[in-house]
Amino acid sequence: MSVELPFAPVDTIIRRNAGDLRVSADASEELARRIQEHGAALARDAAERATADGRKTLMAADFGVEQVVDRSQLELPVAPVDRIARLEIDSRYRVAMDARIALADILEDYANNVAAAAAKLARHADRRTIQAEDIETYFSLFE
């Protein structure tokens, strides 16, 4: 599976949580891949909710979001998030713009949590660089 999400915004999210640590390109790539997997799973669940309601359009509420943030507040771009949402759902579904923004917001929060934990793991290992292994360790410990 190719990664739909560009690495630059993911790198920015990691750096926002890294403090004085550096960030390896592999860490950004690994987190982008994990974000994509999580987003596709969330979209699959949202599609099931929409189907249960007799709809073919995913809405923000299908992602458990009642109030959608302003798009300009997000680091993750909405277009790749839309492609992520469509990875594991049938092509008959549409994804409303508010649902795309809601999913991007959820995924950005998810990325922030992982990045903060990865920074702690890198510091604990007495390294100055967050590496892909820190992202992998987070998931092996907490998921």
Side-chain angles (χ1 to χ4, degrees):
M1 172 189 331
S2 67
V3 178
E4 299 289 335
L5 196 60
F7 300 149
V10 175
D11 184 75
T12 300
I13 292 169
I14 297 173
R15 289 180 191 285
R16 185 168 52 208
N17 290 277
D20 60 343
L21 297 176
R22 295 180 296 227
V23 178
S24 75
D26 289 342
S28 297
E29 183 176 353
E30 179 64 20
L31 184 53
R33 187 177 66 74
R34 300 287 185 145
I35 291 169
Q36 178 170 305
E37 290 171 359
H38 185 62
L42 291 173
R44 194 175 49 246
D45 294 343
E48 290 173 9
R49 284 190 215 55
T51 299
D53 286 347
R55 290 182 283 109
K56 292 184 180 173
T57 301
L58 280 76
M59 312 281 247
D62 296 322
F63 290 97
V65 174
E66 292 182 19
Q67 187 166 353
V68 179
V69 300
D70 185 76
R71 182 179 184 172
S72 65
Q73 295 175 328
L74 298 174
E75 191 67 44
L76 294 179
V78 174
V81 169
D82 179 47
R83 289 191 298 273
I84 288 169
R86 296 169 189 278
L87 285 173
E88 294 184 16
I89 62 173
D90 193 303
S91 62
R92 69 177 186 229
Y93 289 102
R94 294 191 338 240
V95 184
M97 181 55 78
D98 68 334
R100 296 174 201 171
I101 295 169
L103 181 57
D105 187 30
I106 291 167
L107 294 177
E108 193 162 319
D109 285 344
Y110 177 79
N112 274 313
N113 292 333
V114 174
K120 287 180 184 176
L121 290 167
R123 285 187 185 95
H124 181 72
D126 203 25
R127 281 187 277 103
R128 295 184 37 89
T129 304
I130 298 173
Q131 299 176 351
E133 69 185 64
D134 299 313
I135 306 292
E136 293 163 356
T137 300
Y138 169 83
F139 285 100
S140 68
L141 293 172
F142 299 109
E143 286 203 344

